[in-house]
Amino acid sequence: MKKILIFLLAFCLCHSFAGAQDSVAVASPTADDSLVADSVAVSDSLPWTVRLRQRLDSLVASPLLERSQLGLMVYDLTDDSTLYTYGHRQTLRPASTMKLLTAITGIETLGADFQMKTSLYYTGSVSGGTLRGNLVSVGGMDPLFDRNDLAAFISKVRHAGIDTIRGRLLADVTMKDDDRWGEGWCWDDDNYSLTPLLYNRKDDFLEALRRELRRGGVVIVDTFYSSMTPSQRQRHFVCSCSHGIGELLVPMMKDSDNLFAECLFYLIAANTEGRPAKGKQAANQVKRMIQRVGLNPGDYRVADGSGLSLYNYVSAELEVRLLRYAWQHREIFDLLLASLPIAGVDGTLASRMAKGPAAGNVRAKTGTVSGISSLAGYCKAPNGHTLAFCIINQGIMRMADGRGFQDQICNTLCE
């Protein structure tokens, strides 16, 4: 009798173990939609973090990743802990999420109160309304300088008692080197000219100045203008126009404006390593930022500030580390968060995630170049925690595939 009882007990234990194994199998990731649905249903009673990992496991089982690469990292900023990773240390091309590196480095090195400045001087002397000398415009790499700012310049010239100019219109563009394109930019892209003296985003400042001076009643006897500049000791100040770094960040991030990102990139160099500013100097400052967040700068490649370059290589881990650093430093975080596109609301996310848990919640920088789609930023989890995430899809043939995958990830983080 005792032997029979022992046999029955052993049989029951084996049966229970087999049942437990079956439940694990049902909950494991699979490409079959019905089984994924079962997995989610079974896991509803588990803690949110466990359910999140199960759902992300199901998403990274997508056939999309059989023919492309993925770098993914999700970090709980409130708990200061990693929630999920997949290929997070692979070096991939970031596309426009490279602007996150530029923005965070820019605020850190220049400060939240930094001002971009375009200035106007004259040389020689003014007598009887006539300037016998040159009018010198000094570029400060400000892409926001527009018609209203130029009108203010003309008003200041008239206020200085000048109605006739017997001299040249000169451009001081010594703030930056002579390179007009970024390293690794494609020749057939519609690239902006990277000059320190900009008017309405274009490299025609002096022509616009000449035109508006004449409209303002200033006679220019000699219409010749050039980039040759006299010594600063010979200059007399007329006026300047300034715009803050916060004003620059909004179009740079929400609209993914490449020119604005490159201006900030060179401003970083000019204000840390001297003039003329060079791209490699700016890259050095970004690399110092990478070191500051605890990673090895030698593991990555920084070629430009906008993400247009084919030579940029970062990782999902790097971008999340930088997002974490920003979150920990309120001066950086406030400016950065205000500039990021909001899902379903504005910027490059206006038409994405307009419905569902991510709508109005996700604030993130998008990235798109040929073969690359990326998204990195912040969101609030259902438990009230703030999350940082980075998703880089590389080697995809249709951008919609990458965006759809990223939107699924984001909705999963927010539900």
Side-chain angles (χ1 to χ4, degrees):
M1 183 68 181
K2 186 175 181 180
K3 291 182 178 179
I4 293 173
L5 289 173
I6 292 172
F7 173 79
L8 289 172
L9 180 60
F11 176 80
C12 291
L13 287 172
C14 289
H15 183 70
S16 297
F17 179 74
Q21 292 290 87
D22 287 345
S23 68
V24 171
V26 170
S28 64
T30 174
D32 186 282
D33 292 339
S34 62
L35 290 183
V36 171
D38 288 344
S39 172
V40 174
V42 168
S43 64
D44 281 344
S45 62
L46 297 173
W48 177 78
T49 54
V50 177
R51 288 184 281 125
L52 173 67
R53 292 182 185 113
Q54 288 183 340
R55 289 165 177 165
L56 292 178
D57 281 343
S58 298
L59 288 173
V60 299
S62 165
L64 176 67
L65 302 187
E66 294 176 5
R67 58 184 186 274
S68 62
Q69 297 167 274
L70 171 67
L72 168 63
M73 186 169 185
V74 181
Y75 197 88
D76 188 326
L77 295 168
T78 306
D79 275 348
D80 201 20
S81 61
T82 301
L83 285 178
Y84 193 86
T85 61
Y86 184 101
H88 65 301
R89 288 179 177 158
Q90 289 191 82
T91 47
L92 306 170
R93 288 167 55 199
S96 280
T97 58
M98 191 72 187
K99 293 180 176 69
L100 284 169
L101 280 72
T102 305
I104 294 169
T105 304
I107 304 169
E108 171 75 3
T109 57
L110 302 175
D113 297 324
F114 179 79
Q115 298 281 315
M116 302 167 290
K117 186 180 291 185
T118 305
S119 301
L120 191 65
Y121 297 82
Y122 72 84
T123 65
S125 61
V126 179
S127 177
T130 298
L131 168 62
R132 287 177 171 81
N134 303 316
L135 206 57
V136 184
S137 302
V138 182
M141 212 80 204
D142 183 359
L144 289 163
F145 192 95
D146 61 13
R147 185 173 182 177
N148 292 330
D149 300 317
L150 189 58
F153 271 28
I154 306 306
S155 175
K156 291 294 184 180
V157 169
R158 294 304 308 267
H159 185 72
I162 299 171
D163 58 33
T164 304
I165 299 175
R166 289 185 175 274
R168 300 177 178 180
L169 303 184
L170 300 179
D172 184 340
V173 291
T174 56
M175 193 204 97
K176 181 188 168 296
D177 63 14
D178 294 332
D179 293 340
R180 290 296 178 261
W181 281 17
E183 181 187 7
W185 286 10
C186 293
W187 65 270
D188 56 348
D189 281 342
D190 185 15
N191 297 316
Y192 294 102
S193 178
L194 301 180
T195 175
L197 198 54
L198 293 159
Y199 173 68
N200 281 343
R201 306 166 55 88
K202 296 180 180 179
D203 184 13
D204 61 356
F205 189 99
L206 291 184
E207 175 57 34
L209 178 63
R210 180 194 64 80
R211 181 177 64 248
E212 294 305 314
L213 282 169
R214 286 181 168 173
R215 285 179 180 174
V218 178
V219 176
I220 305 174
V221 177
D222 186 353
T223 60
F224 179 77
Y225 42 83
S226 72
S227 59
M228 299 298 292
T229 57
S231 167
Q232 290 190 16
R233 289 177 296 179
Q234 300 173 321
R235 298 180 185 180
H236 306 280
F237 180 74
V238 177
C239 62
S240 66
C241 175
S242 300
H243 295 103
I245 191 172
E247 297 176 78
L248 177 143
L249 285 172
V250 171
M252 168 180 160
M253 304 300 277
K254 284 193 182 291
D255 301 329
S256 201
D257 194 296
N258 294 320
L259 176 62
F260 281 56
E262 295 302 332
C263 285
L264 181 55
F265 193 63
Y266 281 95
L267 283 165
I268 292 169
N271 287 274
T272 55
E273 299 199 28
R275 307 182 180 201
K278 302 178 186 299
K280 288 185 178 180
Q281 295 172 334
N284 287 339
Q285 294 302 316
V286 177
K287 289 176 182 178
R288 289 177 184 174
M289 192 73 212
I290 293 171
Q291 191 170 36
R292 200 167 295 150
V293 301
L295 296 176
N296 180 11
D299 293 338
Y300 310 98
R301 181 84 157 79
V302 179
D304 70 3
S306 63
L308 274 176
S309 176
L310 301 177
Y311 301 159
N312 291 311
Y313 278 94
V314 304
S315 68
E317 179 184 36
L318 170 58
E319 294 199 3
V320 168
R321 288 281 192 104
L322 286 164
L323 289 167
R324 175 177 175 264
Y325 185 90
W327 188 78
Q328 292 173 332
H329 295 78
R330 183 56 56 178
E331 183 180 68
I332 300 175
F333 183 71
D334 288 345
L335 277 178
L336 181 66
L337 191 68
S339 71
L340 290 173
I342 305 172
V345 176
D346 63 12
T348 54
L349 285 180
S351 60
R352 289 177 60 178
M353 296 174 277
K355 296 180 180 179
N361 185 344
V362 168
R363 295 180 178 229
K365 183 70 199 74
T366 58
T368 306
V369 295
S370 181
I372 307 292
S373 180
S374 54
L375 185 69
Y378 303 100
C379 68
K380 282 285 186 182
N383 60 4
H385 289 199
T386 301
L387 308 182
F389 65 88
C390 177
I391 314 162
I392 303 176
N393 293 102
Q394 179 167 285
I396 55 175
M397 302 305 294
R398 296 195 318 132
M399 293 300 110
D401 291 340
R403 292 171 186 151
F405 177 82
Q406 294 152 19
D407 293 356
Q408 283 184 296
I409 293 284
C410 289
N411 278 311
T412 298
L413 297 180
C414 298
E415 66 183 359

Coordinates of all heavy atoms in Angstrom, one line a residue, residues 73 75 77 80 88 94 97-109 253 268 283 285-297 300-302 305 313-334 336-337 340 376-378 387-390 392:
M73 N 16.6 50.4 -26.4 CA 16.8 50.4 -24.9 C 15.7 51.3 -24.3 O 15.3 52.3 -24.8 CB 18.2 51.1 -24.6 CG 18.5 51.0 -23.1 SD 20.2 51.5 -22.8 CE 20.3 51.1 -21.0
Y75 N 14.6 52.7 -20.4 CA 15.2 53.0 -19.1 C 14.2 53.7 -18.2 O 13.5 54.6 -18.6 CB 16.5 53.8 -19.3 CG 17.4 53.8 -18.1 CD1 18.4 52.9 -17.9 CD2 17.2 54.8 -17.0 CE1 19.2 52.9 -16.8 CE2 18.1 54.8 -15.9 CZ 19.0 53.8 -15.8 OH 19.9 53.8 -14.7
L77 N 13.7 56.1 -15.6 CA 14.4 57.2 -15.0 C 14.1 57.4 -13.5 O 14.9 57.8 -12.7 CB 14.2 58.5 -15.7 CG 14.7 58.5 -17.2 CD1 14.1 59.7 -17.9 CD2 16.2 58.6 -17.2
D80 N 15.8 54.6 -11.9 CA 17.2 54.6 -12.3 C 17.6 53.2 -12.6 O 18.6 52.7 -12.0 CB 18.1 55.3 -11.3 CG 19.4 55.7 -11.8 OD1 19.5 55.9 -13.1 OD2 20.4 55.9 -11.1
H88 N 21.3 47.0 -27.9 CA 21.4 48.4 -27.5 C 22.8 48.9 -27.6 O 23.0 50.1 -27.5 CB 20.9 48.6 -26.0 CG 21.7 47.8 -25.0 ND1 21.9 46.4 -25.1 CD2 22.4 48.2 -23.9 CE1 22.6 46.1 -24.0 NE2 22.9 47.1 -23.3
P94 N 22.3 57.1 -36.6 CA 21.2 57.6 -35.8 C 20.1 58.4 -36.6 O 19.0 58.7 -36.1 CB 21.9 58.6 -34.8 CG 23.1 59.1 -35.6 CD 23.5 57.9 -36.4
T97 N 18.1 61.6 -34.9 CA 18.2 61.6 -33.4 C 19.6 62.0 -33.0 O 19.9 62.2 -31.8 CB 17.9 60.2 -32.9 OG1 18.8 59.2 -33.5 CG2 16.5 59.8 -33.2
M98 N 20.5 62.2 -34.0 CA 21.8 62.8 -33.7 C 21.7 64.2 -33.1 O 22.5 64.7 -32.4 CB 22.7 62.9 -35.0 CG 24.1 63.2 -34.8 SD 25.0 61.8 -34.1 CE 26.6 62.6 -33.8
K99 N 20.6 64.8 -33.4 CA 20.3 66.2 -32.9 C 20.2 66.2 -31.4 O 20.4 67.2 -30.7 CB 19.1 66.8 -33.6 CG 19.2 67.1 -35.1 CD 17.9 67.6 -35.6 CE 18.1 68.0 -37.1 NZ 18.2 66.9 -38.0
L100 N 19.8 65.0 -30.8 CA 19.8 64.9 -29.3 C 21.2 65.1 -28.8 O 21.4 65.8 -27.8 CB 19.3 63.6 -28.9 CG 17.8 63.3 -29.0 CD1 17.4 61.9 -28.8 CD2 17.0 64.2 -28.0
L101 N 22.2 64.5 -29.4 CA 23.6 64.7 -28.9 C 24.0 66.1 -29.0 O 24.6 66.7 -28.1 CB 24.5 63.8 -29.7 CG 24.6 62.3 -29.4 CD1 23.4 61.6 -29.8 CD2 25.9 61.7 -30.0
T102 N 23.6 66.8 -30.1 CA 24.0 68.2 -30.3 C 23.3 69.1 -29.4 O 23.9 70.0 -28.8 CB 23.7 68.6 -31.8 OG1 24.3 67.7 -32.7 CG2 24.1 70.0 -32.1
A103 N 22.0 68.9 -29.2 CA 21.2 69.7 -28.3 C 21.7 69.6 -26.8 O 21.9 70.6 -26.2 CB 19.7 69.3 -28.4
I104 N 21.9 68.4 -26.3 CA 22.3 68.2 -25.0 C 23.7 68.7 -24.7 O 24.0 69.4 -23.7 CB 22.2 66.7 -24.6 CG1 20.7 66.3 -24.6 CG2 22.8 66.4 -23.2 CD1 20.5 64.8 -24.5
T105 N 24.6 68.5 -25.7 CA 26.0 69.0 -25.6 C 25.9 70.5 -25.6 O 26.7 71.2 -24.9 CB 26.9 68.5 -26.7 OG1 26.9 67.1 -26.7 CG2 28.3 69.0 -26.6
G106 N 25.1 71.1 -26.5 CA 25.0 72.5 -26.6 C 24.5 73.2 -25.4 O 25.1 74.2 -24.9
I107 N 23.5 72.7 -24.8 CA 23.0 73.3 -23.5 C 24.0 73.2 -22.4 O 24.2 74.1 -21.6 CB 21.6 72.7 -23.1 CG1 20.6 72.8 -24.3 CG2 21.1 73.4 -21.9 CD1 19.3 72.0 -24.0
E108 N 24.6 72.0 -22.4 CA 25.6 71.8 -21.3 C 26.8 72.7 -21.4 O 27.3 73.2 -20.4 CB 26.1 70.3 -21.4 CG 27.3 69.9 -20.5 CD 26.9 69.8 -19.0 OE1 25.7 69.9 -18.7 OE2 27.8 69.6 -18.2
T109 N 27.3 72.9 -22.6 CA 28.6 73.6 -22.8 C 28.3 75.2 -22.9 O 29.1 75.9 -22.5 CB 29.3 73.2 -24.0 OG1 28.5 73.3 -25.2 CG2 29.8 71.7 -23.9
M253 N 14.5 70.8 -33.2 CA 14.0 69.5 -32.7 C 12.6 69.2 -33.2 O 12.3 68.1 -33.8 CB 14.0 69.4 -31.2 CG 15.4 69.8 -30.6 SD 16.7 68.6 -31.1 CE 16.4 67.3 -30.0
I268 N 29.0 75.5 -30.7 CA 29.7 74.8 -29.6 C 31.2 74.9 -29.8 O 31.9 75.1 -28.8 CB 29.2 73.3 -29.6 CG1 27.8 73.2 -29.2 CG2 30.1 72.4 -28.7 CD1 27.2 71.8 -29.4
A283 N 32.9 68.1 -32.7 CA 32.8 66.6 -32.5 C 33.5 66.3 -31.2 O 33.1 65.4 -30.4 CB 33.3 65.9 -33.6
Q285 N 33.8 68.1 -28.5 CA 33.0 68.5 -27.4 C 31.8 67.5 -27.2 O 31.5 67.1 -26.0 CB 32.4 69.9 -27.6 CG 33.4 71.0 -27.6 CD 34.2 71.0 -26.3 OE1 33.6 71.0 -25.2 NE2 35.5 71.2 -26.5
V286 N 31.3 66.9 -28.3 CA 30.3 65.9 -28.1 C 30.9 64.6 -27.5 O 30.3 64.0 -26.7 CB 29.6 65.6 -29.5 CG1 28.6 64.4 -29.4 CG2 28.9 66.8 -30.1
K287 N 32.1 64.3 -27.9 CA 32.8 63.1 -27.4 C 33.1 63.3 -25.9 O 33.0 62.4 -25.1 CB 34.1 62.9 -28.1 CG 33.9 62.4 -29.6 CD 35.2 62.3 -30.3 CE 35.0 61.8 -31.7 NZ 36.2 61.7 -32.5
R288 N 33.4 64.6 -25.5 CA 33.6 64.8 -24.0 C 32.3 64.6 -23.3 O 32.3 64.1 -22.2 CB 34.1 66.2 -23.8 CG 35.5 66.4 -24.3 CD 36.0 67.8 -24.1 NE 37.4 68.0 -24.7 CZ 38.0 69.1 -24.8 NH1 37.4 70.2 -24.4 NH2 39.2 69.1 -25.3
M289 N 31.2 64.9 -23.9 CA 29.9 64.7 -23.3 C 29.6 63.2 -23.2 O 29.0 62.7 -22.2 CB 28.8 65.3 -24.2 CG 27.4 65.4 -23.6 SD 27.4 66.6 -22.2 CE 26.2 65.8 -21.1
I290 N 30.0 62.4 -24.2 CA 29.9 61.0 -24.2 C 30.6 60.4 -23.0 O 30.2 59.5 -22.3 CB 30.3 60.4 -25.5 CG1 29.4 60.8 -26.7 CG2 30.4 58.8 -25.4 CD1 29.9 60.4 -28.0
Q291 N 31.8 60.9 -22.8 CA 32.7 60.5 -21.7 C 32.0 60.8 -20.4 O 32.1 60.1 -19.4 CB 34.0 61.1 -21.8 CG 35.1 60.5 -20.9 CD 36.5 61.0 -21.2 OE1 36.7 62.1 -21.6 NE2 37.5 60.1 -21.0
R292 N 31.4 62.0 -20.3 CA 30.7 62.5 -19.1 C 29.6 61.5 -18.7 O 29.3 61.4 -17.5 CB 30.2 63.9 -19.4 CG 29.9 64.7 -18.1 CD 29.7 66.1 -18.4 NE 30.9 66.7 -19.0 CZ 31.0 67.7 -19.8 NH1 29.9 68.2 -20.3 NH2 32.1 68.2 -20.3
V293 N 28.9 60.9 -19.6 CA 27.8 60.0 -19.3 C 28.3 58.6 -19.0 O 27.5 57.7 -18.9 CB 26.7 60.0 -20.3 CG1 26.1 61.4 -20.5 CG2 27.2 59.5 -21.7
G294 N 29.6 58.4 -19.0 CA 30.2 57.1 -18.6 C 30.5 56.1 -19.8 O 30.7 54.9 -19.5
L295 N 30.5 56.6 -21.0 CA 30.8 55.7 -22.1 C 32.1 56.1 -22.8 O 32.6 57.2 -22.6 CB 29.7 55.7 -23.1 CG 28.3 55.2 -22.6 CD1 27.2 55.3 -23.7 CD2 28.4 53.7 -22.2
N296 N 32.6 55.2 -23.6 CA 33.9 55.4 -24.3 C 33.7 56.1 -25.6 O 33.1 55.5 -26.5 CB 34.6 54.1 -24.5 CG 36.0 54.3 -25.2 OD1 36.5 55.4 -25.4 ND2 36.5 53.1 -25.6
P297 N 34.2 57.4 -25.8 CA 33.9 58.1 -27.0 C 34.5 57.4 -28.2 O 34.0 57.6 -29.4 CB 34.7 59.4 -26.8 CG 34.8 59.6 -25.3 CD 34.9 58.2 -24.8
Y300 N 32.3 55.4 -30.8 CA 31.3 56.0 -31.6 C 32.0 57.0 -32.6 O 33.1 57.3 -32.5 CB 30.3 56.8 -30.7 CG 29.8 55.9 -29.6 CD1 30.3 56.0 -28.3 CD2 28.7 55.0 -29.8 CE1 29.9 55.2 -27.3 CE2 28.3 54.2 -28.8 CZ 28.8 54.3 -27.5 OH 28.4 53.5 -26.5
R301 N 31.1 57.4 -33.6 CA 31.7 58.3 -34.6 C 30.7 59.5 -34.7 O 29.5 59.4 -34.9 CB 31.7 57.6 -35.9 CG 32.2 58.4 -37.1 CD 33.7 58.4 -37.2 NE 34.2 58.6 -38.5 CZ 34.4 59.9 -39.0 NH1 34.0 60.9 -38.3 NH2 34.8 60.0 -40.2
V302 N 31.3 60.7 -34.5 CA 30.5 62.0 -34.6 C 31.1 62.7 -35.7 O 32.2 63.2 -35.7 CB 30.7 62.8 -33.3 CG1 29.9 64.1 -33.4 CG2 30.2 62.0 -32.1
G305 N 26.3 67.6 -36.8 CA 25.4 67.9 -35.7 C 24.0 67.6 -36.0 O 23.1 67.6 -35.1
Y313 N 27.9 57.3 -36.2 CA 27.6 56.0 -35.6 C 27.5 56.1 -34.1 O 28.4 56.5 -33.4 CB 28.6 54.9 -36.0 CG 28.4 54.3 -37.4 CD1 29.0 54.9 -38.5 CD2 27.5 53.3 -37.6 CE1 28.8 54.4 -39.8 CE2 27.2 52.8 -38.9 CZ 27.9 53.4 -39.9 OH 27.7 52.9 -41.2
V314 N 26.3 55.7 -33.6 CA 26.0 55.8 -32.2 C 25.3 54.5 -31.8 O 25.3 53.5 -32.6 CB 25.1 57.0 -31.8 CG1 25.8 58.3 -32.3 CG2 23.7 56.8 -32.4
S315 N 24.8 54.4 -30.6 CA 24.1 53.2 -30.1 C 22.8 53.7 -29.4 O 22.8 54.9 -28.9 CB 24.9 52.4 -29.2 OG 25.2 53.0 -28.0
A316 N 21.9 52.8 -29.2 CA 20.7 53.1 -28.4 C 21.1 53.4 -27.0 O 20.5 54.3 -26.3 CB 19.7 52.0 -28.5
E317 N 22.1 52.7 -26.5 CA 22.5 52.9 -25.1 C 23.1 54.3 -25.0 O 22.8 55.0 -24.0 CB 23.6 51.9 -24.8 CG 24.2 52.1 -23.4 CD 25.3 51.1 -23.0 OE1 26.1 50.9 -23.9 OE2 25.4 50.7 -21.9
L318 N 23.8 54.8 -25.9 CA 24.4 56.1 -25.8 C 23.3 57.2 -25.8 O 23.4 58.1 -24.9 CB 25.3 56.4 -27.0 CG 25.8 57.8 -27.2 CD1 26.5 58.3 -26.0 CD2 26.7 58.0 -28.4
E319 N 22.3 57.1 -26.6 CA 21.3 58.1 -26.7 C 20.5 58.1 -25.4 O 20.1 59.1 -24.8 CB 20.4 57.9 -27.9 CG 21.1 58.2 -29.2 CD 20.2 58.4 -30.4 OE1 19.0 58.5 -30.2 OE2 20.7 58.6 -31.5
V320 N 20.2 56.9 -24.8 CA 19.5 56.8 -23.5 C 20.3 57.4 -22.4 O 19.8 58.1 -21.5 CB 19.1 55.4 -23.3 CG1 18.6 55.2 -21.8 CG2 18.0 54.9 -24.2
R321 N 21.6 57.1 -22.4 CA 22.5 57.7 -21.4 C 22.4 59.2 -21.4 O 22.4 59.9 -20.3 CB 23.9 57.2 -21.6 CG 24.2 55.8 -21.3 CD 24.4 55.5 -19.8 NE 24.9 54.2 -19.5 CZ 26.2 54.0 -19.2 NH1 27.0 55.0 -19.0 NH2 26.6 52.7 -19.0
L322 N 22.4 59.8 -22.6 CA 22.4 61.2 -22.7 C 21.0 61.8 -22.3 O 20.9 62.8 -21.6 CB 22.6 61.6 -24.2 CG 24.1 61.5 -24.6 CD1 24.3 61.6 -26.1 CD2 24.9 62.7 -23.9
L323 N 19.9 61.0 -22.6 CA 18.6 61.4 -22.2 C 18.5 61.4 -20.6 O 17.9 62.2 -20.0 CB 17.5 60.5 -22.8 CG 17.3 60.7 -24.3 CD1 16.5 59.5 -24.9 CD2 16.6 62.0 -24.6
R324 N 19.1 60.4 -20.1 CA 19.2 60.3 -18.6 C 20.0 61.4 -18.0 O 19.5 62.0 -17.0 CB 19.9 58.9 -18.2 CG 20.1 58.7 -16.7 CD 20.7 57.4 -16.5 NE 21.0 57.1 -15.1 CZ 22.2 57.3 -14.6 NH1 23.2 57.7 -15.3 NH2 22.5 57.1 -13.3
Y325 N 21.1 61.8 -18.6 CA 21.9 62.9 -18.1 C 21.0 64.2 -18.1 O 21.1 65.0 -17.2 CB 23.1 63.1 -18.9 CG 24.1 64.1 -18.4 CD1 25.1 63.8 -17.5 CD2 24.0 65.5 -18.9 CE1 26.0 64.8 -17.0 CE2 24.8 66.4 -18.4 CZ 25.8 66.1 -17.5 OH 26.7 67.1 -17.0
A326 N 20.3 64.4 -19.2 CA 19.5 65.6 -19.4 C 18.4 65.6 -18.3 O 18.2 66.7 -17.7 CB 18.9 65.7 -20.8
W327 N 17.8 64.5 -18.1 CA 16.7 64.4 -17.1 C 17.3 64.7 -15.7 O 16.6 65.3 -14.8 CB 16.1 63.0 -17.1 CG 14.9 62.8 -16.3 CD1 13.6 63.3 -16.5 CD2 14.8 62.2 -15.0 NE1 12.8 62.9 -15.5 CE2 13.5 62.2 -14.6 CE3 15.7 61.5 -14.2 CZ2 13.0 61.7 -13.4 CZ3 15.3 61.0 -13.0 CH2 13.9 61.1 -12.6
Q328 N 18.5 64.4 -15.4 CA 19.1 64.6 -14.1 C 19.6 66.0 -13.9 O 19.9 66.4 -12.8 CB 20.3 63.7 -13.9 CG 19.9 62.2 -13.8 CD 21.1 61.3 -13.7 OE1 22.2 61.6 -14.3 NE2 21.0 60.1 -13.1
H329 N 19.6 66.8 -15.0 CA 20.1 68.2 -14.9 C 18.9 69.1 -15.4 O 18.7 69.2 -16.6 CB 21.3 68.4 -15.7 CG 22.5 67.6 -15.2 ND1 22.7 66.3 -15.4 CD2 23.6 68.0 -14.4 CE1 23.8 65.9 -14.8 NE2 24.3 66.9 -14.2
R330 N 18.2 69.7 -14.5 CA 17.0 70.4 -14.8 C 17.2 71.5 -15.9 O 16.3 71.7 -16.7 CB 16.4 71.0 -13.5 CG 15.1 71.7 -13.7 CD 14.0 70.8 -14.2 NE 13.8 69.6 -13.5 CZ 12.9 68.7 -13.8 NH1 12.1 68.9 -14.9 NH2 12.8 67.6 -13.1
E331 N 18.3 72.2 -15.8 CA 18.5 73.3 -16.8 C 18.5 72.7 -18.2 O 18.0 73.4 -19.2 CB 19.8 74.0 -16.5 CG 20.1 75.1 -17.4 CD 21.5 75.8 -17.1 OE1 22.5 75.2 -17.4 OE2 21.5 77.0 -16.7
I332 N 19.1 71.5 -18.4 CA 19.1 70.9 -19.7 C 17.7 70.3 -20.1 O 17.2 70.5 -21.2 CB 20.1 69.8 -19.8 CG1 21.5 70.4 -19.5 CG2 20.1 69.1 -21.2 CD1 22.6 69.3 -19.4
F333 N 17.1 69.6 -19.1 CA 15.9 68.9 -19.3 C 14.7 69.8 -19.7 O 14.0 69.5 -20.6 CB 15.5 68.1 -18.1 CG 14.3 67.3 -18.3 CD1 14.3 66.1 -19.1 CD2 13.1 67.6 -17.6 CE1 13.1 65.4 -19.3 CE2 11.9 66.8 -17.8 CZ 12.0 65.7 -18.6
D334 N 14.6 71.0 -19.0 CA 13.5 71.9 -19.3 C 13.5 72.4 -20.8 O 12.5 72.4 -21.4 CB 13.5 73.1 -18.3 CG 13.1 72.7 -16.9 OD1 12.6 71.6 -16.8 OD2 13.4 73.4 -16.0
L336 N 15.2 71.0 -23.3 CA 15.1 69.9 -24.2 C 13.7 69.4 -24.4 O 13.2 69.2 -25.5 CB 16.0 68.7 -23.8 CG 16.0 67.5 -24.7 CD1 16.7 67.8 -26.0 CD2 16.8 66.3 -24.0
L337 N 13.0 69.2 -23.2 CA 11.6 68.7 -23.3 C 10.7 69.6 -24.0 O 9.9 69.2 -24.8 CB 11.1 68.4 -21.9 CG 9.8 67.7 -21.8 CD1 10.0 66.2 -22.2 CD2 9.2 67.7 -20.3
L340 N 11.0 69.0 -27.9 CA 10.8 67.7 -28.5 C 9.3 67.7 -29.1 O 8.4 68.2 -28.5 CB 10.9 66.6 -27.5 CG 12.4 66.4 -27.0 CD1 12.4 65.3 -25.9 CD2 13.3 65.9 -28.2
A376 N 13.8 58.6 -30.4 CA 14.3 58.6 -29.0 C 13.8 59.7 -28.2 O 13.7 60.9 -28.7 CB 15.9 58.7 -29.1
G377 N 13.4 59.5 -27.0 CA 12.9 60.5 -26.1 C 12.3 60.0 -24.8 O 12.9 59.0 -24.2
Y378 N 11.2 60.6 -24.4 CA 10.7 60.3 -23.0 C 9.2 60.0 -23.1 O 8.5 60.4 -24.1 CB 10.8 61.6 -22.1 CG 12.2 62.1 -22.0 CD1 12.7 63.2 -22.7 CD2 13.1 61.5 -21.0 CE1 13.9 63.7 -22.5 CE2 14.3 62.0 -20.8 CZ 14.8 63.1 -21.6 OH 16.0 63.6 -21.4
L387 N 10.1 57.4 -18.3 CA 10.9 56.5 -19.1 C 11.7 57.2 -20.1 O 11.2 58.2 -20.7 CB 10.1 55.4 -19.7 CG 9.1 54.6 -18.9 CD1 8.5 53.5 -19.7 CD2 9.8 54.0 -17.7
A388 N 12.9 56.8 -20.4 CA 13.7 57.2 -21.6 C 13.9 56.0 -22.5 O 14.1 54.9 -22.0 CB 15.1 57.8 -21.1
F389 N 13.8 56.3 -23.8 CA 13.9 55.2 -24.7 C 14.6 55.6 -26.0 O 14.7 56.8 -26.3 CB 12.5 54.6 -25.1 CG 11.7 55.6 -25.8 CD1 11.7 55.7 -27.2 CD2 10.8 56.4 -25.2 CE1 10.9 56.6 -27.9 CE2 10.0 57.4 -25.8 CZ 10.1 57.4 -27.2
C390 N 15.2 54.7 -26.7 CA 15.8 54.9 -28.0 C 15.5 53.7 -28.9 O 15.7 52.5 -28.4 CB 17.3 55.1 -27.9 SG 18.0 55.4 -29.5
I392 N 16.3 52.4 -32.8 CA 17.0 52.7 -34.1 C 16.8 51.5 -35.0 O 17.2 50.4 -34.7 CB 18.5 52.9 -34.0 CG1 18.7 54.1 -33.0 CG2 19.1 53.2 -35.3 CD1 20.2 54.4 -32.7

